[in-house]
Amino acid sequence: MTHNGLMRTVEEHRRAVADLIAPTAEVSLPVEDAVGHALAADLVAPRPLPAFDNSAMDGYAVRAADVGSATPETPVTLPVAADVPAGRTDGPALEPGTAHRIMTGAAMPRGADTIVQVEHTDAGTTTVRIDRPAAAGRHLRRAGEDVQTGETVLPAGGGLGPAQIALAAALGLPELTVGEPVRVLVLSTGSELVEPGTELLHGQIHESNGPMLVTAAREAGAHAVRRHFVADDEDTFLTVLDAVVDAGAADLILTSGGVSAGAFEVVKDALAARGVEFTRVAMQPGKPQGTGRYRGVPVVTLPGNPVSAMVSFEVFVRPAIRAAMGFADPGRPRLTARLAESLTSPADRAQFRRGVLDRVAGTVTTQGPPGSHHLRWMAASNCLLEIPVGVTEMAAGDPVVVWDLEA
Ligand code: AMP
Ligand code: MG
């Protein structure tokens, strides 16, 4: 992407935000609490999986040689010398010419080399009639066939979901070491804002950026809290900011509103001379942006229009938060889809449109106009379309890069 003189590129601003947030410390969490976090180090298997040879079927552990001649017409009958339910730790060895009744997951008796599934028997408990032969090794789960001791089973920087949690638990690990959540403080500005649940006077609106950004940050894995929004008054804004900084509980202060070119731009007015750089980024929506430090604490100032704030969060803040938490791949998955209809885009800016991605058809349909106040259309979307700088028109069927917001 090229620099167009006056505006920062998306990539330049993305790096500025990423550089602002330092990597978090590592913390050991009970495995279940580690879900949604990134592994701090490679997970190396301390033991094999399975830990011992065991049966993959309910049936009978036997020696293949003892049942080789079994057919429905000439069944083999063996005495059942032992019962081996799952969890039995003192199962005896199998004597030649006998069978052990065995359940799925139970340890294979020494001396047995195959399992006859119960469906191929009369399910007897004192003797068992077997009417099929079984080759050696049938229905056996071998020790280490899934995981061997010392293997790296999960990489550092990988995200932890239920399947990864299950693997760690199966390997006997009570805790996992992950990157600590970034602590995000969300603060909305605007004299027009009132809390949802309160009746509006003409000219007022319900505050929605705060709930949006605090939940977006939590969804990204951060520990996010919201301060009550403040009016467009510099002193009030700075008083709240000072309280936040004094409390020392924020790794990142995320504001919305008050950064564009109008009058009463409280965030800009208060912070321009106090460590925050205000810039214009070559993107639509989300042109006015700011980054810096207020009394040492990283600050990212997002524009107030709800769609601009959301897109800015996705493009700049979310990947920075996740990188700081140790995610090796902190961005949303991107893919290429075919446009369902034509669109236009400004030449000098990257455009991020909201859309619905049809993963099966590989097509994407834009949702709503480009305008940055169309919250309803953003709520109907599952992806962002990224139309690069320099592209002014795209036709139906053209390939377009899509950010998958649901993955
Ligand atoms: P600003 O960036 O402060 O000029 O705000 C741009 C637009 O976004 C205005 O229409 C604001 O009313 C709206 N807006 C700003 N902050 C919020 C918020 N917290 N919730 C909902 N809308 C907002
Ligand atoms: Mg405002």
Side-chain angles (χ1 to χ4, degrees), residues 81-85 87-94 100-102 106-111:
D83 267 338
V84 196
R88 181 164 182 187
T89 57
D90 63 349
L94 181 94
H100 288 183
R101 195 161 69 124
I102 194 167
M108 193 65 176
R110 266 170 298 115

Side-chain angles (χ1 to χ4, degrees), residues 62-404:
V62 297
R63 298 191 324 158
D66 290 339
V67 298
S69 66
T71 68
E73 293 74 34
T74 62
V76 169
T77 299
L78 299 174
V80 177
D83 267 338
V84 196
R88 181 164 182 187
T89 57
D90 63 349
L94 181 94
E95 298 299 331
T98 70
H100 288 183
R101 195 161 69 124
I102 194 167
M103 302 303 143
T104 304
M108 193 65 176
R110 266 170 298 115
D113 61 9
T114 192
I115 300 290
V116 180
Q117 67 189 87
V118 67
E119 291 83 353
H120 296 167
T121 74
D122 66 352
T125 55
T126 51
T127 62
V128 60
R129 203 189 65 229
I130 294 168
D131 58 14
R132 305 265 179 98
R138 279 290 283 159
H139 305 312
L140 250 179
R141 303 162 173 167
R142 296 283 184 196
E145 75 175 25
D146 192 6
V147 174
Q148 294 189 9
T149 305
E151 268 191 284
T152 295
V153 287
L154 296 172
L160 297 168
Q164 292 74 34
I165 298 293
L167 178 57
L171 288 167
L173 303 172
E175 295 189 335
L176 287 170
T177 304
V178 299
E180 268 191 337
V182 171
R183 299 167 307 162
V184 179
L185 189 291
V186 172
L187 176 61
S188 301
T189 65
S191 295
E192 71 278 32
L193 304 178
V194 301
E195 205 63 59
T198 309
E199 277 308 314
L200 299 178
L201 301 176
H202 187 63
Q204 294 182 325
I205 65 168
H206 288 124
E207 133 89 324
S208 62
N209 287 352
M212 172 176 74
L213 293 170
V214 82
T215 52
R218 284 176 192 158
E219 191 264 347
H223 176 79
V225 292
R226 177 163 73 98
R227 285 296 290 244
H228 193 271
F229 52 81
V230 295
D232 292 319
D233 175 73
E234 227 180 292
D235 290 341
T236 313
F237 177 68
L238 285 172
T239 301
V240 172
L241 227 46
D242 282 329
V244 166
V245 173
D246 289 342
D251 303 315
L252 171 67
I253 297 170
L254 198 55
T255 68
S256 74
V259 295
S260 33
F264 317 113
E265 303 291 4
V266 65
V267 175
K268 203 181 201 175
D269 294 346
L271 296 183
R274 292 186 175 87
V276 175
E277 185 186 2
F278 292 90
T279 47
R280 298 188 310 142
V281 177
M283 71 188 267
Q284 180 193 59
K287 186 164 66 169
Q289 302 283 344
T291 50
R293 288 172 191 278
Y294 178 71
R295 292 177 50 204
V297 179
V299 180
V300 174
T301 68
L302 303 179
N305 267 310
V307 177
S308 309
M310 185 80 241
V311 169
S312 304
F313 181 89
E314 281 293 333
V315 174
F316 304 122
V317 182
R318 189 178 190 277
I321 287 175
R322 289 172 72 80
M325 290 173 58
F327 283 93
D329 197 1
R332 296 282 193 183
R334 291 169 206 211
L335 49 121
T336 304
R338 303 252 157 219
L339 265 182
E341 76 279 279
S342 64
L343 58 75
T344 60
S345 177
D348 62 342
R349 295 198 268 164
Q351 191 186 56
F352 289 89
R353 294 282 284 267
R354 281 64 61 203
V356 171
L357 171 68
D358 182 332
R359 290 178 181 77
V360 177
T363 56
V364 62
T365 311
T366 57
Q367 298 293 298
S372 49
H373 58 287
H374 293 287
L375 254 187
R376 172 256 181 93
W377 292 108
M378 198 174 66
S381 299
N382 65 6
C383 70
L384 294 176
L385 292 76
E386 180 182 2
I387 298 116
V389 170
V391 174
T392 53
E393 283 178 26
M394 295 185 83
D398 281 354
V400 64
V401 172
V402 164
W403 296 31
D404 188 344

